[in-house]
Structure formats: structure tokens, C-alpha cells
Amino acid sequence: MQTNNATIKGFLRPNGKKGIRNTILVAYLVECAHHVCREIAYPFREQGVHVIGFPGCFPNTYAHKMMSRLCNHANVGAVLLVSLGCECFNRNKLLETVQASGRPANLLVIQDQGGTRKTIAEGRAWIEQTLQQLEATPRADMRIDELIVGTICGGSDATSGLTANPAMGRAFDFLIEKNAACIFEETGELIGMEYLMAERAATPELGQELIKAVAKAGRYYGTMGHASISPGNADGGLTTIEEKSLGAYAKSGQSAIHGIIKPGDYPPRGGLYLLDMVPDGEPRFGFPNINDNAEIAELIACGSHLLLFSTGRGSVVGSAISPVIKVCANPKTYARMEDDMDVNAGRMLEVGGEVPSNRNVREGARSLGDSATSTSAGAGGSSASPNKASLDDVGREIYDLILRVSNGEQTKSEALGHQEFILTYKTFEPLGPACLPQAA
Amino acid sequence: MTTDSRVLLLHSEDNVAIASCELPAGTELNVGGATLTLKQRVDIGHKFACKPIAKGAKIYKYHAPIGSATQDIAPGEYVHTHNLTSDYIPTYTFEKGKSFAG
């Protein structure tokens, strides 16, 4: 593979970490400062200035950790915090953390600045000056083993688990061979998979933790009375949460599982990690993640430089801070929404009106630990459409695209200006000792 | 043990198979050596019974249970929310409008 030895030109941060983007964040510390942030960022929206924030007025340890990790993310070059002035968020502590990282940082308090108009003017002036300052950000060669990649599925249908998810899992396998850190997520969509997953754990104790994490998700969603499956998933042919889980699980590829992390924890080294995003303790603040973007924000807070996002129904989202690569599972959806999709994994099913070869999907099923018995009646290859691709083909395509995006190529959602972001209340307990085995 | 190339049988012991392209009602298919006729249209990625399934029996896809049958299902019948339910948490649909906390 040509890109095997490729290096990435990263942005070097003072702590030695490297990013693939040089974003300026404008961060509101309560919803009341959101509009002011949007107005500050608007003229610079195509210059890598993104808005994130926490809407709540009450303090929350998880939200503070999330904001701190996001503001100090390797893709972030500078941070402007905007406070209304009376909210509980500990703005000074967050500002100190960002300043300590060596990044340009500033805090504007709307009530002290004298209101909306003055804060916007002050904020825009700071952004203009900081954009110039960031032009001098040092660049450094970045190896693949310095990359952190997260994966998520959204707007899934029955093709997601047959094409895009196994192909992203294959890309994960390629990355992990090179010792990159890869994170898969959403324990609520692994319900039914816990015992298969435990067999892949680096240690038996970690296997038990994986089973416990999924059991926690089952209890939590059970209390909510609603599984992580939507009417759109059902229209797309997914009938039950178990069936959705089978497909979602394929995103993890076939590597050993090296550990469990929680939102805001960085993978300690290369390998495959499960992000346990379901809050600990009694359900308190509603659904664990109210939508896909809440999950993306958590994957980024764990250090993800970029995200692989599979969709069958056709999600259009991107994200603030880290680029999102959209892998479309369904060939019909790809044909309808090509402008939003980076990879057409549905080619694995594509029959071009003719008969398909089943070879590739058989491989897809194997990535779930099964041996499928589907056999093509004829020589599948000869009747395949010219677009047709194998699981390996699409896995390589995704891997190569990861390297190009890391080197600055814009993803479709980036080019379209998608910068979705959401952060809500949660509570977590610290990781147990078996979650990150040293030997893994 | 041949299977029509428009069909994915993900495991030999599965009792549902997957349409790899849109298949109209009445399509005759060979699945795992047996012949069946689709009773309804089955869209890409959706599933149909390839063996008789009794009410209450587990439904297997990828050699893993994805829930239980809520009625007897004959080979060739479309399998979805009308005849399959989760063994964990029920699926919300607009039609059923199942209420949930919050």
C-alpha cells in the first residue's frame, strides 16, 4: 500500500502533541452566551473558527472535564471563552488550564464587557489577531501511531452492518496494525454482543468489565423505556436493538480490545478501546447521549483527531474540532445524497441491476466472528457492476482517506460547514483498575 | 446448498436471509438449498424467513439471536416489527407509538 509509510504534517502543540487541524474555539459557558459566540465566529466560519459550549447554568464535573479536554484538544490552536457572568461554570479554572497548555486564550464576560455589542466587537478583534498569530504554528511530522480515530454510526439501516460498519472495522484493523489508537462506542448499541466482545479482551478481567459496561447500558436504557433504535432504523430494516447491535459491533473490526475509557479519558497507547458513555449510578439526566453529536463530542474529548461515521439512512452531520468522514452503507442512499458522503461502502452490495457476488458480504460476516455460507450461484465476479468493491477495498479506501484528511484534505461535511456540537449533563465514576490493563 | 445471488444467508443455521437488492413479491429464490417464494416485497438489507419459524422461537441472523417471533412465520414471509420483537427492550415505531419515560 502506497500510504504505508506516509507521514502526516501535524500542528505541533507546546506539550508535544500533534493535531491535524488548527482550529480556534469560541466557547460559551452557558446557553445565555451562545448567541454572542455565534456572532463572534460568524465572519470567520470558513477560517476554522468553531463554536462549542455547555448550555447548563448548574455546575457539572463531567461537563467541566469535557470542556477542558475539548479546549486543549490537539486540533485546537486557540480558545476564546465567553461567559455571561452569573453562571456556575468555573470559567477561571478553565481559562487557567488552557493558558497552561501554552495556547493563546482569552475570556470575555458579557456582563463586564458591557453587553452583546461590545463583547462581539472585542471577540472578533481577538479572533482576527489570533488567526494571524496561528499562521506561525510550528508543523511537525506526525506518525500514524500518534493518531487517535473514533468511530460512530448514525442513521443506521440494515445495510450499515453489512457494508459500512465492517469496512470501518477493517480500516480500524489497518490502523491498529500501525499502532494507532482507535475508539468505538455506544454500549447501548452493543446489547447482546457483550459475550462475543469479552472474548476479544486483552485480559479476562477486562472481559468482565466489558460485560458489566453493556449490562449497565441495558439497565439504563431499560429504565428510560426506550432502546437506542429509532423509527428510521426500523424503516431501514432493523427490527430490534439486538439486530442493530450486531451491525454496530462490526465497527470495532477484529483486533483485540485493549481497554475501556470514559468520556474525556485518553487512550494510554495504541490499540482498540471501548468508550463507555453510559453514566454511572442511577439514571439522572435522561438519555445517555441524546443524539449522535453528543457522542461525537465525547469521542473528540478522548482525543480523536478525526471520526469515521457510518450511515445507511443518510446522516449529514459533521462536527466542531475534528473532521468527520462519512461512510455511506446503502447504495440507494449514496445515489441520493452523494454530496454529503465521503465513501460509498454500499458498492459492496451494488448489483447494478444484475446479480451480486456474495463474497464480500461473506467476509463482512466473518468480521463478526461468523462464517457465512452464502454462495454465489454463478461466478459472481463476472456479473458484478464496475463499481463493485470488496470489504478490503473499502477498508483500504477509508484508511487512505484518513491519511489524506489528516494531511488537510477537507471531508464533505467540513466543506459544507457542518460544525454540530452538543454537550449535556452526566455523572461518571472513575475507571476501575481492570479497565486499562498495563500489558495490553 | 446453493443460495440465490440476490440473497445473503449470513450463516447456515440462520432462519432469516437478507435481500441484497430490492426483491418484488412473488420472487422465487433458492436459499441454502431450499426453494421459496417471497410473500411480500423485500427491500435491500431487509430480511425474510428462510425456514418455518414458530411463534416464540428465536430469530437468528449472523448466527446470533436478534429477538423472538410474535407469530408463526412461513418461509418467504417478510420479517420485521410486525412479527419480531426484541428480547431486551421493545422498538419504538411511529405506528405503535409506544410511550416511554421522559
Side-chain angles (χ1 to χ4, degrees):
Chain A
M1 180 170 45
Q2 204 175 14
T3 44
N4 255 358
N5 301 313
T7 47
I8 299 157
K9 276 279 176 232
F11 293 92
L12 183 63
R13 304 302 169 202
N15 66 358
K17 298 237 187 215
K18 293 159 197 165
I20 63 167
R21 294 291 183 273
N22 207 17
T23 304
I24 297 181
L25 292 183
V26 183
Y28 56 93
L29 305 182
V30 63
E31 179 61 20
C32 318
H34 193 162
H35 171 71
V36 168
C37 285
R38 250 189 324 249
E39 287 296 313
I40 290 171
Y42 190 77
F44 312 103
R45 68 193 186 285
E46 289 177 2
Q47 292 166 266
V49 177
H50 298 180
V51 175
I52 69 164
F54 178 59
C57 193
F58 297 92
N60 181 251
T61 304
Y62 155 84
H64 193 98
K65 181 178 180 179
M66 284 287 294
M67 287 295 285
S68 175
R69 291 291 194 267
L70 293 165
C71 289
N72 289 299
H73 189 280
N75 286 354
V76 173
V79 180
L80 174 63
L81 303 177
V82 183
S83 157
L84 174 61
C86 41
E87 73 276 8
C88 289
F89 199 101
N90 192 335
R91 55 184 179 266
N92 292 321
K93 190 173 158 200
L94 180 58
L95 179 66
E96 280 165 25
T97 319
V98 184
Q99 283 169 335
S101 78
R103 287 173 174 81
N106 193 10
L107 166 67
L108 297 176
V109 179
I110 297 170
Q111 289 164 354
D112 296 345
Q113 290 293 322
T116 300
R117 206 178 298 278
K118 288 169 185 163
T119 312
I120 292 170
E122 186 73 21
R124 286 182 180 171
W126 189 83
I127 299 283
E128 260 176 47
Q129 158 211 322
T130 306
L131 275 169
Q132 285 179 9
Q133 203 179 334
L134 287 192
E135 282 173 20
T137 305
R139 304 299 292 262
D141 284 343
M142 182 175 177
R143 298 183 313 270
I144 292 167
D145 66 9
E146 294 174 279
L147 261 187
I148 305 175
V149 181
T151 185
I152 176 169
C153 45
S156 295
D157 70 13
T159 64
S160 296
L162 296 171
T163 62
N165 291 350
M168 295 191 332
R170 189 55 61 96
F172 259 24
D173 293 339
F174 296 146
L175 286 165
I176 290 165
E177 271 172 30
K178 305 219 169 291
N179 213 27
C182 294
I183 311 170
F184 70 112
E185 42 61 65
E186 183 43 309
T187 46
E189 294 171 9
L190 293 167
I191 289 171
M193 300 300 104
E194 52 271 30
Y195 293 97
L196 277 175
M197 202 161 57
E199 289 172 12
R200 292 168 58 196
T203 66
E205 294 76 18
L206 174 61
Q208 288 308 306
E209 293 292 335
L210 290 166
I211 291 169
K212 279 199 265 179
V214 177
K216 178 177 71 169
R219 278 196 308 278
Y220 204 105
Y221 280 99
T223 307
M224 296 288 114
H226 198 282
S228 185
I229 181 166
S230 72
N233 297 149
D235 286 346
L238 291 171
T239 311
T240 64
I241 184 62
E242 298 94 299
E243 187 180 17
K244 185 175 176 184
S245 294
L246 275 161
Y249 179 59
K251 299 200 300 292
S252 65
Q254 301 181 67
S255 307
I257 299 172
H258 291 88
I260 299 175
I261 54 177
K262 290 183 180 179
D265 297 333
Y266 274 54
R269 58 189 78 79
L272 179 63
Y273 296 85
L274 172 67
L275 172 58
D276 175 11
M277 37 58 76
V278 172
D280 293 309
E282 286 306 302
R284 239 190 232 179
F285 300 117
F287 290 103
N289 276 341
I290 62 172
N291 55 39
D292 294 330
N293 285 95
E295 206 131 322
I296 290 175
E298 290 182 337
L299 286 162
I300 295 172
C302 292
S304 298
H305 292 93
L306 57 84
L307 291 309
L308 302 178
F309 187 123
S310 86
T311 183
R313 301 294 287 169
S315 174
V316 300
V317 305
S319 179
I321 303 176
S322 296
V324 174
I325 293 175
K326 214 74 67 45
V327 182
C328 187
N330 187 323
K332 287 159 87 175
T333 304
Y334 185 84
R336 204 167 54 239
M337 298 178 69
E338 188 178 346
D339 285 353
D340 287 284
M341 303 299 161
D342 296 287
V343 177
N344 176 13
R347 288 184 294 142
M348 288 163 61
L349 288 179
E350 190 80 74
V351 292
E354 302 296 326
V355 285
S357 152
N358 289 330
R359 178 177 64 96
N360 313 313
V361 181
R362 204 160 64 232
E363 287 172 12
R366 248 189 236 130
S367 75
L368 291 161
D370 278 332
S371 58
T373 56
S374 179
T375 48
S376 193
S382 60
S383 58
S385 83
N387 284 333
K388 192 150 175 59
S390 73
L391 181 63
D392 267 347
D393 292 341
V394 180
R396 290 265 175 233
E397 183 184 335
I398 296 168
Y399 179 88
D400 290 346
L401 184 58
I402 288 168
L403 296 185
R404 295 206 308 276
V405 169
S406 298
N407 266 316
E409 182 175 313
Q410 282 201 316
T411 66
K412 293 276 179 76
S413 51
E414 254 185 318
L416 289 164
H418 282 282
Q419 291 166 18
E420 286 84 350
F421 182 86
I422 190 161
L423 176 58
T424 61
Y425 284 94
K426 280 190 179 184
T427 46
F428 282 99
E429 289 162 13
L431 282 174
C435 289
L436 288 172
Q438 286 304 310
Chain B
M1 282 284 284
T2 57
T3 293
D4 193 292
S5 56
R6 292 166 292 179
V7 174
L8 306 172
L9 181 60
L10 294 168
H11 191 278
S12 60
E13 288 167 36
D14 285 356
N15 48 16
V16 292
I18 317 300
S20 62
C21 56
E22 190 180 319
L23 298 172
T27 306
E28 281 204 8
L29 296 166
N30 198 340
V31 182
T35 303
L36 56 82
T37 306
L38 288 185
K39 306 265 192 296
Q40 298 90 10
R41 169 184 164 278
V42 180
D43 204 352
I44 182 169
H46 291 235
K47 57 200 171 288
F48 55 90
C50 57
K51 292 173 186 164
I53 304 170
K55 182 178 176 179
K58 297 266 187 220
I59 292 186
Y60 284 89
K61 174 181 172 184
Y62 299 99
H63 202 205
I66 59 167
S68 300
T70 55
Q71 60 192 63
D72 292 341
I73 308 172
E77 267 188 72
Y78 181 50
V79 174
H80 202 18
T81 49
H82 61 289
N83 53 12
L84 163 61
T85 187
S86 170
D87 293 327
Y88 288 79
I89 307 167
T91 298
Y92 171 83
T93 60
F94 293 133
E95 293 71 28
K96 291 183 191 167
K98 196 189 75 62
S99 67
F100 57 91

